[in-house]
Amino acid sequence: MTGGPYLLVDDADGVLRVVFNRPQRLNALTAAVLRAAADTVEEAAADARVRVITLTGTGRAFCTGADLTDAGGDIAPVDGSQAGEPGARRYGAHGTAESGIDAANRLIRAITDVPKPVVAVVNGPAAGVGCSIATACDLIWAAESAYFLLAFANVGLMPDGGATATIPAAIGRARAARMALLAERVPAQRAFHWGLISAVVPDDQLAAEADKVVAALATGPTAAYAETKRALRASALAGLDHALSQERAGQLRLFRGADFAEGVRAFQEHRTPRFTGA
């Protein structure tokens, strides 16, 4: 199975493996890839052959956020992780912010709603909406070299992809605010200590250790997992849908603001941005 050249999909032995496959762009995502990933996870919900889903990336990154340089014009910025690249300058002429945000939100809902365990295998940086996708998963196995980053504030934006719900649910409001407001890089070991992720293992052992967990889930009590996941979603992430709506509205306002434009210019010019609050 395949979701196109930038999304690899394989289904074997009860495991649906979804792989972001743009290593030359550190697995930055277009709206088209986000929609394809959402399609894949949504379809798995009704497929009895699928008992567990994994998400990972090829190369040295899990996902560094939204691709602002999509030549097809199918995406506008979803986050600030790459805002200094040429596509940011072409923002007004290529697609709409709504398409990217809505595609990301659909994937987050698919991950949290599918009645099967979803395991993020974080092989490298998980930044911007990549961090949001990883933290929406039920289990997160990360390599020691991986890190988690909400870089949005650096270009005058706010977190999206449900991060304002999933991250505080995992690590509390104070640490979530530290990640979101200061745009601090959180190394995998600290992320594990904080409770953001499930496990951290040496880089060369990540695939093998994740495979053990996934194999156990694939032969486990699927119905029990579904009910457990449903209950956890209702208790720990009861506010997720509201957060997604608030993020969408706030981010669209910020895209039109002077601070976002200044953040992009500052990134391109390799200087500290001069934000005015506008």
Side-chain angles (χ1 to χ4, degrees):
M1 297 173 62
T2 180
Y6 300 140
L7 187 75
L8 304 181
V9 181
D10 178 71
D11 180 2
D13 300 322
V15 181
L16 179 67
R17 291 180 171 84
V18 182
V19 184
F20 303 129
N21 186 46
R22 298 184 73 202
Q24 74 282 7
R25 298 282 295 128
L26 298 179
N27 298 321
L29 300 175
T30 65
V33 173
L34 286 163
R35 286 194 293 269
D39 286 343
T40 301
V41 176
E42 288 169 356
E43 290 168 5
D47 189 342
R49 297 171 302 170
V50 176
R51 299 168 68 90
V52 59
I53 301 167
T54 68
L55 293 177
T56 192
T58 55
R60 59 190 180 91
F62 175 78
C63 170
T64 55
D67 187 358
L68 306 187
T69 65
D70 177 22
D74 198 24
I75 189 166
V78 175
D79 60 66
S81 61
Q82 302 173 60
E85 303 201 11
R89 297 194 297 271
R90 301 196 303 269
Y91 165 71
H94 286 267
T96 64
E98 288 91 340
S99 68
I101 292 173
D102 290 344
N105 286 357
R106 185 176 153 221
L107 177 56
I108 298 303
R109 287 191 174 97
I111 291 169
T112 56
D113 289 347
V114 65
K116 325 258 172 112
V118 182
V119 182
V121 183
V122 182
N123 53 307
V129 78
C131 183
S132 303
I133 292 168
T135 55
C137 295
D138 303 301
L139 297 171
I140 307 169
W141 252 245
E144 284 182 335
S145 65
Y147 63 82
F148 300 82
L149 174 65
L150 297 177
F152 303 86
N154 290 340
V155 289
L157 295 177
M158 66 177 290
D160 56 26
T164 62
T166 57
I167 291 180
I171 63 176
R173 177 176 175 272
R175 284 171 171 162
R178 178 173 168 179
M179 287 184 68
L181 299 178
L182 300 181
E184 284 189 354
R185 179 182 297 193
V186 180
Q189 287 285 3
R190 185 188 304 165
F192 177 67
H193 174 72
W194 280 3
L196 184 64
I197 65 177
S198 310
V200 55
V201 299
D203 287 32
D204 61 358
Q205 298 176 28
L206 177 63
E209 292 299 316
D211 283 348
K212 290 178 186 177
V213 174
V214 171
L217 291 168
T219 58
T222 306
Y225 292 155
E227 293 298 340
T228 300
K229 179 168 177 172
R230 188 174 294 113
L232 288 171
R233 167 79 155 85
S235 60
L237 295 177
L240 177 60
D241 289 332
H242 180 66
L244 289 168
S245 296
Q246 282 210 308
E247 290 170 356
R248 183 183 190 278
Q251 199 75 300
L252 293 179
R253 285 193 294 270
L254 292 170
F255 279 132
R256 297 189 292 268
D259 276 354
F260 174 57
E262 164 60 11
V264 171
R265 284 194 299 268
F267 190 99
Q268 293 166 343
E269 297 167 7
H270 305 287
R271 61 174 173 81
T272 301
R274 297 182 289 271
F275 293 130
T276 64

